[in-house]
Amino acid sequence: MPTPPTDPSPAGRKRADVRRNEQALLDAAAAVFVRAGVHAPVREIAAESGLGMGTIYRHFPTRADLVVAVFKHQVDALATTPKDPADPTDPATDPPYQALRTWVHRFADFLVTKHGLAEAMHSDQAGFENLHNEFVERLLPVLDRRLTASAAAGSTRPDVRAYDLMLAIGNLCIGVEAFPDYRARQMIDLLLAGLTRTDPATQEHEEH
């Protein structure tokens, strides 16, 4: 596919710089939110991104603006996962189970932002619900593809619904903000390990 032409004019370079700064800012804010919650000081985000606080406020005048933008940025990143999560002919592609695990961990990081989204948006319940519905519609098919690929490779059980797994991951992430010592990723790994085990009753039925 040919590379789209770039705009060499000063205005074009400025727009490109603005986009790069915004991407760096959103990546940094997402990392800080996962580590310290959505109420982390703006100076931490500035330090993480290498940008000035004035730049942050120019892009996102309020914390709610920033939280919503990070939320959408994370959804975009999770939704752009390749449709074929495990091409056996591509040595650079992770095995299906590892690809599933990596994506689920990234999804768990995203949920930390989502937990602070409702508070950041205050009374905009309709807006929050729209964002929630958008993320479910966009991310559920991605998780389903990863589950299907993992099951086809014999790594996980084939009877696990993506929607059930998404809810289970969400429930395992609920305690992150209330309990600083809570290790959500370890609990999620236990959940994923459980997907690899065949139910004894199912196995007995298949053998007969």
Side-chain angles (χ1 to χ4, degrees):
M1 181 180 295
T3 302
T6 56
D7 183 352
S9 68
R13 289 195 296 271
K14 183 176 181 180
R15 285 194 296 270
D17 288 343
V18 169
R19 285 194 296 270
R20 280 194 296 270
N21 284 345
E22 185 168 321
Q23 290 300 306
L25 173 55
L26 292 174
D27 286 338
V32 171
F33 287 167
V34 169
R35 183 171 67 239
V38 297
H39 296 294
V42 173
R43 63 177 177 275
E44 288 190 28
I45 299 172
E48 184 89 14
S49 65
L51 300 172
M53 292 179 63
T55 300
I56 296 176
Y57 284 120
R58 278 197 301 274
H59 281 282
F60 307 105
T62 70
R63 184 170 296 268
D65 293 333
L66 179 59
V67 174
V68 171
V70 170
F71 179 91
K72 292 181 176 180
H73 178 64
Q74 289 175 305
V75 170
D76 287 341
L78 286 165
T80 53
T81 301
K83 290 187 177 181
D84 184 1
D87 181 355
T89 65
D90 183 358
T93 302
D94 286 337
Y97 179 79
Q98 183 57 43
L100 171 65
R101 181 175 180 269
T102 299
W103 190 90
V104 165
H105 280 180
R106 291 172 58 211
F107 177 65
D109 288 344
F110 155 76
L111 290 178
V112 173
T113 302
K114 180 180 180 294
H115 288 159
L117 184 64
E119 184 178 353
M121 295 182 72
H122 300 295
S123 60
D124 189 5
Q125 182 63 26
F128 172 77
E129 290 176 357
N130 286 337
L131 288 174
H132 174 83
N133 293 335
E134 177 186 348
F135 107 71
V136 172
E137 290 175 4
R138 293 185 64 190
L139 300 188
L140 193 59
V142 180
L143 179 56
D144 185 63
R145 286 196 296 271
R146 293 214 168 275
L147 270 175
T148 299
S150 185
S155 300
T156 52
R157 298 170 51 140
D159 60 341
V160 180
R161 297 193 314 166
Y163 186 69
D164 294 336
L165 180 57
M166 182 175 280
L167 288 178
I169 296 165
N171 287 331
L172 286 175
C173 291
I174 288 175
V176 171
E177 292 182 351
F179 306 101
D181 292 333
Y182 177 62
R183 299 183 298 175
R185 282 201 173 195
Q186 283 82 348
M187 299 307 298
I188 289 170
D189 278 341
L190 286 175
L191 171 65
L192 292 177
L195 302 186
T196 66
R197 298 171 186 164
T198 302
D199 180 73
T202 302
Q203 185 175 19
E204 182 179 350
H205 177 74
E206 291 176 349
E207 290 175 352
H208 290 82

